[in-house]
Amino acid sequence: PVPVVVLISGTGSNLAALLEASRTGDSSFEIVGVIADREAAGLAHATSAGIPAEIVRLGDFPDREAWDGALAAAISRYAPQLVVLAGFMKLLGPAVLEAHPGRIINTHPALLPSFPGAHGVRDALAYGVKVTGASVIEVDAGVDTGRILAQAALEVLPEDDEASLHERIKVLERRMLVDVVADLTRPR
Ligand code: GAR
């Protein structure tokens, strides 16, 4: 199976879905390491699956460039063929991007190019859209500007708040992310 590293900052529900899919009989990918930029709750999914998990904190480095280099080194130690950002809430720097050209993907809780950034669900709700969803994209140096690989849409309900809408998006999102990762790692 193709080695995959997952980067997280949060609860890791997308990571959990990837781990579950990777454990099925003939999975085309294997999660070989999980890296967070903070004490993320989702790290527990990795440790309980016996997968190496580590934290590379921006605050532990003198500047962003040093952090970027350390993160690139940490990722490269696992020699992944694909890097998946699953709720990783920091912009990647050039060291990471240049080490894995075209092989870093991100999942985002809105229909890009609408509502990029850290608050996709909140921003879509505030705008008053009636349809939103999730996007899986290739990562480039911009904020959620990379090529779109997959999208899934759903209706916003009148009674939705940020939490309820995000929960429904995540159901679609994790299925789509698993499909994209399987697709990108399938032998051809
Ligand atoms: C996901 O909905 C992901 O799309 C979003 O964070 C959530 C993480 O959930 N990412 C972003 O907003 C990136 N800009 P999880 O930790 O439960 O997988």
Side-chain angles (χ1 to χ4, degrees):
V2 170
V4 174
V5 164
V6 181
L7 271 51
I8 64 168
S9 301
T11 55
S13 62
N14 284 286
L15 167 65
L18 288 167
L19 281 168
E20 197 190 323
S22 74
R23 285 194 295 256
T24 62
D26 54 354
S27 172
S28 54
F29 65 92
E30 178 187 6
I31 315 259
V32 291
V34 175
I35 304 174
D37 66 315
R38 64 192 77 175
E39 203 63 64
L43 288 168
H45 292 297
T47 44
S48 67
I51 288 162
E54 57 186 292
I55 303 178
V56 183
R57 264 188 209 84
L58 178 56
D60 288 346
F61 296 89
D63 54 31
R64 233 182 145 94
E65 195 185 337
W67 171 74
D68 176 37
L71 183 60
I75 295 170
S76 294
R77 280 194 283 276
Y78 298 105
Q81 283 176 42
L82 183 69
V83 178
V84 178
L85 311 191
F88 188 69
M89 303 305 280
K90 286 214 163 42
L91 278 186
L92 297 178
V96 174
L97 292 172
E98 285 161 19
H100 310 278
R103 300 300 290 173
I104 309 177
I105 65 170
N106 180 35
T107 181
H108 181 75
L111 292 175
L112 294 169
S114 293
F115 314 114
H119 304 289
V121 180
R122 188 187 306 171
D123 294 346
L125 207 52
Y127 197 94
V129 296
K130 304 299 179 198
V131 174
T132 187
S135 307
V136 177
I137 62 169
E138 248 175 50
V139 175
D140 63 14
V143 180
D144 298 324
T145 51
R147 189 164 69 95
I148 294 170
L149 300 173
Q151 290 187 311
L154 57 71
E155 267 179 55
V156 179
L157 303 176
E159 65 271 25
D160 265 327
D161 59 17
E162 185 179 353
S164 68
L165 182 56
H166 202 167
E167 272 319 303
R168 290 210 318 293
I169 289 173
K170 280 184 170 193
V171 174
L172 294 180
E173 182 180 28
R174 60 175 87 102
R175 249 186 255 139
M176 178 172 60
L177 181 64
V178 166
D179 285 350
V180 171
V181 171
D183 210 51
L184 292 174
T185 55
R186 197 163 285 138
R188 21 195 120 229

